[in-house]
Amino acid sequence: MKNIVIIILLLVINYPGQAQEGLITNINGRESKSLNGSWNYIIDPYETGFYDYRYKERNENDGEAYWSRPQEEKKEDRIEHGYEEPYTLQVPGDWNSQADVFKYYEGTVWYQRSFDLDDLDKNERYFLYFGAVNYEAHVYLNEKKIGSHKGGFTPFNFEVPKELLQKEDNFLVVKVDNKRHPEEIPTVNTDWWNFGGITRDVALIKLPNNFVEDYTLRLSPDQDIERSERKNKFTISGSFKVNESADSNAKVNLEIPELKFKKEFTKDAISEFEFNVKNLELWSPENPKLYDVKISYNNHTISDKIGFRKIETSGKDILLNGEKIFLRGISIHEEIPQDVRRAKNKEDAKQLFGYVKDLNANMVRLAHYPHNENMTRLADSLGIMVWSEIPVYWTIDFESEKVLEKAKTQLQEMITRDKNRASVIIWSVGNETPVSETRTNFMKSLIERTRKLDNTRLVSAALEVGYNREKNYVDDPLGEFTDIVSVNEYLGWYGDLPHAKENSNWEVAYDKPLFISETGAGAKGGFYGEKNERWTEEFQQWYYEETIKMMKRMPDNYSGISPWILTDFRSPRRNHPKYQEGWNRKGLIDDKGNKKKAFNILQKYYEEIEKNKSK
Ligand code: GCB
């Protein structure tokens, strides 16, 4: 068994694009040691710590490699790297916002910290967990490589070989590289800032030899949910994924105290099970009911809070728990504009969802990549529905099998982390990908993979609208394969002025729910003037007024909208020296946290919809 673990570890090291085996979920519901805080760093644009002067990868024992401990024992020793004050960065956090030298930096930074263990127990297993590192991470402990990972927005973990851990002064180094590449996901071209660094939490998890690595608990998808059955009898289905390094006859215990449910599952019953519960309250935006759940195995207990609900489509409608819903959404980037940085913790999530609530929204599109787990956790407890997406954005390399594999890896990591979040109702496999047969096959393959991994949610992708005819046509062939047809529309901003919306009609080639995944216009907060002057708040207000009028004339499959975007966000593509200065200005809230006029327009529209339950 030990050999198998080593083989898996080697596979992970050699093929960073491959889906990792054994992602441990719900870290905060387990005992772990946080490795957040102050880390030392070296900026290494030439990757000197990784390649020697012949540009050959350094071997593991090379004392000049930056994963090695810089030890000056004698005065004549030549050491050319080191980890010392004042060169420190806070983890979690992007590096760009932490020192001027990082503002535009794209390349390698080495992070280092040391840690002690209060109770190093060689009978236990230890895993290093990273919530996300953008984009490529190589992890070394005590001068040995323990793994690498690609993908800037999803979690990963590596088992630490026991012989490597010490009680004191463990020397942990992470090489982080955020250089953009044509064959990566996202590719070189995006409309958002390429924030680099260890952007999410880091932890050391101590686990027994055999433990529950992951689990799924949800309302069984194939039961009919009638209104009258509310608070009644439902079937829950699920599975436990046990990670074993030795034989065990232990049983997995599942307890949901509020439902008076307690059961022991033997090994042969854990990969798929079902049970009935009574008096279950379903999760919904009006009643975001979550149940405390305890899973115990081998003296290790995991606590979670899980909501149960059903999301589906029926003809032209989206149904939540059997009832038609309209998605009053808003798109969000993972940024706190006032601090010009990535959002990273609970406080940040509270701030962003505070705006969302204020807007009377019931849904968020977390664009264009999986956001940190605090976001989906808070959405669960606030009753906000979530669209979660992988960064298959614009023109990635659709010809490449390897790129497809990388997209599938990110998809799997996103779904594995968040599949127990009731709030997540839509998995999106990409945004504004250009129509071609190769693209459609690529995306279709992602949709199929999504359904295989999780058949209890809707699958979509943000498509484009064809404006150049009498009508606005939605006929991207990918629409045939998604559960809801989603489109980004910018009539009146890109091309023409908002009055173009007055006479515009829509035709959708698919008899499915239609979702407007983006619409928006730029305005510089605090800049006022005539409505037909670009960048004024009045222009943006006008755009929203016309958009809402147009939405009222939409075909009857119109099922929701998530305008672009909640707040201004950083983008290297936005270079007007007066109005943009590196910001995409389509936020309803500006970079100081002030609401623009259009915020109130959307807020009222949503209030009306909520009251009248119409569009
Ligand atoms: C889009 C993209 C989004 C951009 C936005 C814009 O269609 O999906 O990522 O930021 O337009 O502002 O142009």
Side-chain angles (χ1 to χ4, degrees), residues 588-607:
L588 293 172
I589 294 173
D590 73 11
D591 57 328
K592 308 281 181 301
N594 299 318
K595 289 176 199 165
K596 301 180 195 171
K597 289 186 168 189
F599 185 99
N600 305 319
I601 305 298
L602 188 64
Q603 187 187 45
K604 278 205 198 93
Y605 175 53
Y606 283 169
E607 198 184 321

Short mmCIF file of all heavy atoms in Angstrom, two decimals, residues 588-607:
data_model
loop_
_atom_site.label_atom_id
_atom_site.label_comp_id
_atom_site.label_asym_id
_atom_site.label_seq_id
_atom_site.Cartn_x
_atom_site.Cartn_y
_atom_site.Cartn_z
N LEU A 588 -21.34 48.47 -10.39
CA LEU A 588 -22.45 49.27 -9.87
C LEU A 588 -21.98 50.01 -8.62
O LEU A 588 -22.64 50.91 -8.11
CB LEU A 588 -23.64 48.38 -9.53
CG LEU A 588 -24.30 47.71 -10.73
CD1 LEU A 588 -25.34 46.69 -10.29
CD2 LEU A 588 -24.93 48.76 -11.63
N ILE A 589 -20.83 49.58 -8.13
CA ILE A 589 -20.18 50.20 -6.97
C ILE A 589 -18.77 50.55 -7.42
O ILE A 589 -18.12 49.75 -8.12
CB ILE A 589 -20.16 49.21 -5.79
CG1 ILE A 589 -21.61 48.96 -5.33
CG2 ILE A 589 -19.30 49.70 -4.64
CD1 ILE A 589 -21.76 47.89 -4.29
N ASP A 590 -18.29 51.73 -7.07
CA ASP A 590 -16.97 52.13 -7.59
C ASP A 590 -15.82 51.63 -6.70
O ASP A 590 -16.05 50.90 -5.72
CB ASP A 590 -16.92 53.65 -7.83
CG ASP A 590 -16.86 54.46 -6.52
OD1 ASP A 590 -16.65 53.87 -5.44
OD2 ASP A 590 -17.03 55.69 -6.59
N ASP A 591 -14.61 52.03 -7.04
CA ASP A 591 -13.44 51.49 -6.33
C ASP A 591 -13.28 52.09 -4.93
O ASP A 591 -12.36 51.69 -4.20
CB ASP A 591 -12.16 51.69 -7.16
CG ASP A 591 -11.91 53.13 -7.53
OD1 ASP A 591 -12.89 53.89 -7.71
OD2 ASP A 591 -10.74 53.53 -7.63
N LYS A 592 -14.15 53.03 -4.58
CA LYS A 592 -14.11 53.55 -3.20
C LYS A 592 -15.22 52.92 -2.36
O LYS A 592 -15.39 53.24 -1.19
CB LYS A 592 -14.30 55.08 -3.19
CG LYS A 592 -13.39 55.87 -4.09
CD LYS A 592 -12.02 56.02 -3.45
CE LYS A 592 -11.06 56.82 -4.30
NZ LYS A 592 -10.81 56.25 -5.65
N GLY A 593 -16.04 52.10 -3.01
CA GLY A 593 -17.15 51.48 -2.28
C GLY A 593 -18.43 52.29 -2.39
O GLY A 593 -19.42 51.99 -1.70
N ASN A 594 -18.45 53.31 -3.26
CA ASN A 594 -19.67 54.12 -3.42
C ASN A 594 -20.57 53.55 -4.50
O ASN A 594 -20.10 53.14 -5.57
CB ASN A 594 -19.31 55.56 -3.80
CG ASN A 594 -18.47 56.22 -2.72
OD1 ASN A 594 -18.75 56.05 -1.53
ND2 ASN A 594 -17.44 56.93 -3.13
N LYS A 595 -21.88 53.59 -4.21
CA LYS A 595 -22.84 53.11 -5.20
C LYS A 595 -22.98 54.13 -6.32
O LYS A 595 -23.09 55.32 -6.05
CB LYS A 595 -24.21 52.95 -4.56
CG LYS A 595 -24.31 51.81 -3.61
CD LYS A 595 -25.68 51.82 -2.96
CE LYS A 595 -25.65 51.01 -1.70
NZ LYS A 595 -26.82 51.26 -0.86
N LYS A 596 -23.01 53.63 -7.54
CA LYS A 596 -23.31 54.51 -8.66
C LYS A 596 -24.83 54.55 -8.85
O LYS A 596 -25.55 53.71 -8.31
CB LYS A 596 -22.62 53.99 -9.92
CG LYS A 596 -21.09 53.88 -9.79
CD LYS A 596 -20.46 53.34 -11.07
CE LYS A 596 -19.03 52.87 -10.83
NZ LYS A 596 -18.47 52.15 -11.99
N LYS A 597 -25.29 55.51 -9.68
CA LYS A 597 -26.75 55.68 -9.86
C LYS A 597 -27.44 54.40 -10.34
O LYS A 597 -28.57 54.11 -9.95
CB LYS A 597 -27.02 56.81 -10.85
CG LYS A 597 -26.70 58.17 -10.29
CD LYS A 597 -27.12 59.26 -11.25
CE LYS A 597 -27.03 60.60 -10.52
NZ LYS A 597 -27.63 61.68 -11.30
N ALA A 598 -26.75 53.66 -11.21
CA ALA A 598 -27.38 52.46 -11.79
C ALA A 598 -27.68 51.40 -10.72
O ALA A 598 -28.58 50.57 -10.90
CB ALA A 598 -26.47 51.88 -12.87
N PHE A 599 -26.96 51.45 -9.62
CA PHE A 599 -27.21 50.49 -8.53
C PHE A 599 -28.68 50.57 -8.13
O PHE A 599 -29.37 49.55 -7.99
CB PHE A 599 -26.30 50.81 -7.33
CG PHE A 599 -26.39 49.81 -6.20
CD1 PHE A 599 -25.43 48.81 -6.06
CD2 PHE A 599 -27.43 49.85 -5.27
CE1 PHE A 599 -25.50 47.89 -5.01
CE2 PHE A 599 -27.52 48.93 -4.24
CZ PHE A 599 -26.54 47.95 -4.10
N ASN A 600 -29.16 51.80 -7.95
CA ASN A 600 -30.54 51.98 -7.49
C ASN A 600 -31.56 51.49 -8.52
O ASN A 600 -32.63 51.02 -8.16
CB ASN A 600 -30.80 53.46 -7.19
CG ASN A 600 -29.78 53.98 -6.18
OD1 ASN A 600 -29.43 53.30 -5.22
ND2 ASN A 600 -29.25 55.18 -6.44
N ILE A 601 -31.19 51.62 -9.80
CA ILE A 601 -32.11 51.18 -10.86
C ILE A 601 -32.30 49.66 -10.78
O ILE A 601 -33.42 49.15 -10.80
CB ILE A 601 -31.57 51.58 -12.26
CG1 ILE A 601 -31.30 53.08 -12.33
CG2 ILE A 601 -32.50 51.12 -13.38
CD1 ILE A 601 -32.50 53.97 -12.12
N LEU A 602 -31.18 48.96 -10.67
CA LEU A 602 -31.26 47.50 -10.60
C LEU A 602 -31.93 47.06 -9.29
O LEU A 602 -32.74 46.13 -9.26
CB LEU A 602 -29.86 46.88 -10.74
CG LEU A 602 -29.85 45.36 -10.87
CD1 LEU A 602 -30.55 44.90 -12.16
CD2 LEU A 602 -28.43 44.79 -10.86
N GLN A 603 -31.60 47.77 -8.23
CA GLN A 603 -32.18 47.46 -6.91
C GLN A 603 -33.72 47.53 -6.97
O GLN A 603 -34.41 46.66 -6.46
CB GLN A 603 -31.63 48.48 -5.91
CG GLN A 603 -31.98 48.24 -4.46
CD GLN A 603 -31.51 49.43 -3.61
OE1 GLN A 603 -31.71 50.59 -3.99
NE2 GLN A 603 -30.87 49.13 -2.50
N LYS A 604 -34.22 48.58 -7.63
CA LYS A 604 -35.69 48.75 -7.73
C LYS A 604 -36.31 47.65 -8.60
O LYS A 604 -37.38 47.13 -8.30
CB LYS A 604 -36.02 50.11 -8.36
CG LYS A 604 -35.97 51.22 -7.35
CD LYS A 604 -36.87 52.40 -7.77
CE LYS A 604 -36.47 53.63 -6.98
NZ LYS A 604 -35.47 54.47 -7.69
N TYR A 605 -35.63 47.35 -9.70
CA TYR A 605 -36.12 46.28 -10.60
C TYR A 605 -36.26 44.98 -9.83
O TYR A 605 -37.28 44.29 -9.92
CB TYR A 605 -35.13 46.14 -11.77
CG TYR A 605 -35.39 45.02 -12.74
CD1 TYR A 605 -36.63 44.86 -13.35
CD2 TYR A 605 -34.37 44.12 -13.08
CE1 TYR A 605 -36.85 43.83 -14.28
CE2 TYR A 605 -34.57 43.11 -14.00
CZ TYR A 605 -35.82 42.97 -14.59
OH TYR A 605 -36.02 41.94 -15.52
N TYR A 606 -35.25 44.68 -9.03
CA TYR A 606 -35.29 43.43 -8.26
C TYR A 606 -36.35 43.46 -7.17
O TYR A 606 -37.00 42.45 -6.88
CB TYR A 606 -33.89 43.14 -7.67
CG TYR A 606 -32.91 42.60 -8.70
CD1 TYR A 606 -31.55 42.48 -8.40
CD2 TYR A 606 -33.33 42.18 -9.95
CE1 TYR A 606 -30.64 41.98 -9.33
CE2 TYR A 606 -32.44 41.67 -10.89
CZ TYR A 606 -31.10 41.58 -10.57
OH TYR A 606 -30.22 41.07 -11.50
N GLU A 607 -36.54 44.63 -6.60
CA GLU A 607 -37.56 44.77 -5.56
C GLU A 607 -38.94 44.49 -6.17
O GLU A 607 -39.76 43.76 -5.60
CB GLU A 607 -37.50 46.19 -5.00
CG GLU A 607 -38.18 46.36 -3.67
CD GLU A 607 -38.15 47.82 -3.24
OE1 GLU A 607 -37.12 48.50 -3.45
OE2 GLU A 607 -39.17 48.29 -2.72
#
